Amino acid sequence: MGDETARASFAVIPVIDLRHGQVVRARAGERHSYAPIETPLAKGSAPADVARGLLDAVSGPTLYVADLDAIMDGEPPDLRALEAIARACPGVGLWVDAGFAEAATVEAFLAAGLGRPVVGSESQADEGLVERLGDRAVLSLDSRGATRLGPPGLHADARHWPPEVIVMTLSRVGVGSGPDLAGLAAAARLAPDRRIYAAGGVRGPDDLAALAGAGVAGALVASAIHDGHLRAEHVRAEHLRAEQLRAGRLA
């Protein structure tokens, strides 16, 4: 990590977690304890309303959706919620983790045209699905504390990683402990040509600056936006710093 091109294109990607048709508040990856969200960004926990509120607070081209019923219970993707989000947020691309583990399920989701599938390592039996999908999917390298979730080969061998890779540190989600800079650096060393995204632990603008300065391509963020610690002006300021850095290095 660490080149000016990656810093210049740093992206903040808002996140929503779906459970039983509502948006829930994520805490430390303990999914069974997630409760319907209460946020100043929306009235209630309807997916479309919360998605719109997040994107009004921190505008961007991408929204990440974790479908916890699909990930935890093997349910089909919540297409109704995704359709509502798409209607409420026209022009925004969705990255959707719905526990994808089989090619047929991913192909059906792609045919629905509701976003780009995120293949989480925790849902995989082997490396085959990631290899077959290639750049049609985003890979999420999931971990909980020091434990890497899913096939060891997915974490250790970057040859079949797609262009975008999320380093998902579940124990840091929603607890304000800061991003996993060591884990991000390790992923970048394995695949310096991939765009690496941080997920878990972002507390505010200082963490954005640290991640962007390290060459991370972007960060998935929820709690810091809901709590008002990360706002549109912070994202704009980071983009301006990135552009200034890039202009200075290219001059």
Side-chain angles (χ1 to χ4, degrees), residues 9-13 195-199 211 216-220:
S9 58
F10 188 87
V12 172
I13 300 176
R195 291 175 59 80
I196 306 295
Y197 294 82
L211 290 167
V216 175
L220 279 60

Side-chain angles (χ1 to χ4, degrees), residues 56-158:
D56 286 344
V58 182
S59 61
T62 307
L63 178 75
Y64 176 98
V65 180
D67 184 335
L68 300 182
D69 296 315
I71 295 170
M72 297 167 60
D73 304 328
E75 298 289 334
D78 188 344
L79 299 184
R80 179 176 296 180
L82 295 172
E83 288 166 352
I85 293 168
R87 286 193 300 269
C89 308
V92 173
L94 302 182
W95 286 6
V96 179
D97 185 348
F100 297 114
E102 298 179 358
T105 307
V106 179
E107 295 297 343
F109 175 77
L110 286 166
L114 288 171
R116 192 172 176 192
V118 175
V119 178
S121 66
E122 66 173 323
S123 301
Q124 306 309 299
D126 56 39
E127 299 88 343
L129 182 60
V130 171
E131 181 178 356
R132 289 192 295 273
L133 288 171
D135 61 7
R136 294 188 295 163
V138 178
L139 171 63
S140 180
L141 296 174
D142 306 322
S143 66
R144 190 182 301 277
T147 302
R148 294 177 173 182
L149 304 179
L154 270 182
H155 293 267
D157 187 349

